[in-house]
Every structure is written in structure tokens, then in C-alpha cells.
Amino acid sequence: MSDAADRDRDPEFAFELRVCRWAERAWHPDGPRPAFVARQLGTRQRRWDTVVVEVDPEAFAARRALSTDGFDSDLLRVVRHAPAEWTWYRDAIPEPDFPWRHVVPAVHRAAGLGLVEKRRGSRNRVEYRRTAPYPDWVERVVAIENKPDLDASAARALADQLEHDVSRALADEVWVATEVTGRRVEPALLEDLPVEVGILGVDDDSAEVLWHPSSLSPVSEDARRRLVLAERAYDRGWRNYVDTMRPDCRQFELDRRGRALVPRCAAKDCYQSQRECAHSCPSFEPEPPAWRMNGWPIEGGPGKGVRRILEARRERERDRAEPGSENA
């Protein structure tokens, strides 16, 4: 199949991965900013296709020194408010909107991970202190909706969601990314989208700003929610799609689209989504045992190799957000 034909059949999932890879390499459109990228994250009310977390490089390095894993909301509450000196946990942590007894297991878990130290103090109370301060590492959170074919129908479907994003202002900027068409006036500019939302025209290797977004003003009450979102983004990244696909299928391939590696099914001759590349796929064929022994590590074949490649890329891109990198 030709590259042009592939592009015509490029589904939203493959386009989303291309946007993630572009943002990882070239964020921000107005000039380089240290950042990392995740996908399919949000709140109970709203989930975004792509999330870009802009970071302070030195503070981000300190955050990575604490742990290479993200903190869930319970761990974050404990670690973020961990005191320098031994303190009863109730005096250190702001009162939650649930019973205090549910906080204690998180203190024990944080201590088990080496994030804090704990002891029994006076009156047998649980006291704890930090091993290192939790840094103020998040600069901005940016949301991107991906619509390769932004026609009138797609714009109408997106409008209410984008209006919610603008009014709620949980993100500092909101964008819509769409496939460039090469027309004199890109169709996306003719659609009825909120004026505060930016529009990106994306090609295989680049993106251009078709409409600049307005800077939103997140309220201070949302600071913790934004931090929880950033921690989830740090933990997941955007390459975790392979966890719900079948890279151990002999038909699974990683195809290069520009600078992105996009999952492709050789049996169906197309880019597949996570929903399509599943255990129920009728075209699934397990890797032959010989593949796992002939030149590959004995613990796995090409499927395991795909996971290692994506994990290595993820760590490399995290490194680029730290001081002294080309993005810093």
C-alpha cells in the first residue's frame, strides 16, 4: 500500500500517536519548552486525547530523583505535605474530605517505597517526615484534542467539550490538532470552535499554528487536581498503548510515520486501534516459538522487543526535560 493510501486510511488513533510524537520532539509551537507528553488522561468529567505537561527542568530532575513512578492521589497527599521534622500525620496533611483512617495506609505505603520515614511517636501516634522535599515541578498543563478530519460534524461534536475546557480552565491552553490539507484556507479555520482554542495543522514531521489559543487562568482550588493529572501523565506517558494491544502477534508491526512509530497490522494492511488489536481479533497469530529463540533474548521474541524499544524511548524523552538537555 502506498504512503498516500496509508494517509487516507490513517485512523484517529494513529494520528493521535503522531501528534504525541511531534509534541514530544517540538513543543511548544512558539518555541522550545521542557515538557513531556501523555495521552487519554483527564478528570471524571473530561478526558483529553493528548496532555502536554510543561516542567521546570531542575525541579523535574528532583521529582525524578524521588521516584521514576507517578504518585496516585493518596501517595501524593502524603509525599507533598511530608514535613522536614517528625510530625503527627494529621498535623502535617490538610484535612481530607474522607475519614483520617484512610490516610494511614498511604503513609505506610510511602514509607515502604522509601519516600518518607515513619515511626510511632507519643501516645502511639503515627509520625512521619520526608526524605526529600516534593518539588514544585509543573509549570503548565496543555490539552490537545486530535481530529485528523475536522469537518463540520466533528466540529459540532467537539464544540461543547471545548467550551467546557475553556470555562473550567483546568488546562492552561487548549488546542485542536488536525491533518493539514494543503488548501489555501484550511477547513478547520471555517468551523465554529471557541475562539480561545488554538488549532494545529499537523503533517508527518511538523505542525503549524493555524490559530493561536488564548491563555486560560486555572483557579488555585484546582492546583491539587492539576498536580494529580501531571503525576498520572508522568507515570503513563503516551506509549503505554502497547499494554492493551498484542505485540506478541506475528502480524503486529511498528511502522514509521515521520518520526513516530505507529502500530500496524500486516494481516489487515492498515493502522489498527487498541480496540481492534485485541485478544478477540480473528487475525491474531501468536509468535512462533522459534522467533523467541533465534537471535532474540530467551525471555521473549519481537513482542517483548517492541515493549523494550518503547520503554527506552520513554526514558530518553524524560531525560530531555532535565537541565542540560537540548530542550532545557
Side-chain angles (χ1 to χ4, degrees):
M1 178 178 292
S2 68
D3 186 61
D6 277 351
R7 183 175 291 107
D8 291 340
R9 297 182 62 186
D10 202 359
E12 190 167 320
F13 174 67
F15 180 75
E16 184 174 300
L17 300 187
R18 290 168 48 207
V19 171
C20 288
R21 179 58 177 149
W22 166 80
E24 187 175 65
R25 291 181 52 249
W27 190 260
H28 179 278
D30 293 339
R33 298 179 187 177
F36 63 86
V37 181
R39 55 176 293 274
Q40 293 299 321
L41 286 179
T43 66
R44 291 181 180 177
Q45 293 77 30
R46 183 75 169 95
R47 178 177 294 271
W48 295 310
D49 293 337
T50 301
V51 174
V52 181
V53 180
E54 297 178 7
V55 303
D56 174 274
E58 292 186 358
F60 182 59
R63 170 60 189 86
R64 288 189 70 189
L66 273 176
S67 175
T68 56
D69 297 323
F71 300 149
D72 59 36
S73 59
D74 293 332
L75 270 182
L76 180 62
R77 179 180 293 106
V78 170
V79 176
R80 185 184 180 195
H81 298 289
E85 304 297 333
W86 290 109
T87 305
W88 185 32
Y89 75 96
R90 291 197 187 190
D91 287 340
I93 300 171
E95 185 167 0
D97 55 0
F98 50 82
W100 277 108
R101 66 178 180 274
H102 297 304
V103 176
V104 177
V107 175
H108 293 317
R109 186 152 57 98
L113 294 171
L115 302 172
V116 301
E117 297 176 326
K118 68 178 177 68
R119 72 177 186 184
R120 288 286 178 177
S122 61
R123 298 168 60 183
N124 204 33
R125 288 176 167 178
V126 174
E127 298 179 346
Y128 83 114
R129 66 182 180 185
R130 67 192 183 208
T131 57
Y134 183 86
D136 184 14
W137 59 280
V138 178
E139 293 282 337
R140 300 198 321 151
V141 175
V142 179
I144 304 176
E145 283 295 319
N146 301 309
K147 289 295 176 186
D149 183 14
L150 188 61
D151 56 15
S153 175
R156 284 194 298 271
L158 266 181
D160 289 344
Q161 299 175 45
L162 296 173
E163 288 284 3
H164 174 271
D165 294 340
V166 170
S167 62
R168 190 67 179 83
L170 187 59
D172 295 89
E173 280 180 2
V174 178
W175 296 79
V176 173
T178 188
E179 191 96 56
V180 294
T181 65
R183 300 176 188 174
R184 187 172 63 86
V185 178
E186 289 290 338
L189 292 174
L190 304 178
E191 303 303 340
D192 188 18
L193 298 176
V195 296
E196 297 89 349
V197 175
I199 302 176
L200 282 170
V202 179
D203 204 345
D204 276 348
D205 294 311
S206 63
E208 61 176 317
V209 177
L210 305 178
W211 184 267
H212 285 272
S214 300
S215 293
L216 306 178
S217 301
V219 296
S220 57
E221 289 79 5
D222 281 333
R224 184 176 181 276
R225 183 177 297 183
R226 286 158 53 83
L227 196 54
V228 169
L229 181 66
E231 284 285 350
R232 290 177 60 205
Y234 172 73
D235 190 58
R236 291 181 58 178
W238 63 271
R239 295 180 174 87
N240 67 329
Y241 61 82
V242 75
D243 294 338
T244 55
M245 301 181 82
R246 297 304 306 267
D248 56 335
C249 173
R250 69 185 303 164
Q251 304 295 341
F252 185 96
E253 301 174 347
L254 284 181
D255 188 45
R256 184 172 291 280
R257 285 295 308 272
R259 298 293 293 272
L261 294 176
V262 179
R264 181 176 176 79
C265 179
K268 299 176 182 177
D269 195 24
C270 68
Y271 297 110
Q272 77 273 42
S273 68
Q274 290 171 285
R275 182 172 54 187
E276 294 167 327
C277 184
H279 290 270
S280 58
C281 177
S283 300
F284 174 75
E285 295 183 62
E287 295 173 339
W291 285 16
R292 304 189 179 192
M293 302 172 63
N294 185 20
W296 290 87
I298 193 68
E299 66 270 14
K304 290 288 184 69
V306 166
R307 295 179 185 276
R308 286 192 293 272
I309 288 171
L310 295 178
E311 182 63 28
R313 284 196 166 202
R314 173 191 179 190
E315 292 306 311
R316 183 185 67 192
E317 296 303 329
R318 280 182 171 184
D319 291 341
R320 295 176 67 226
E322 293 194 4
S325 76
E326 58 190 78
N327 277 4

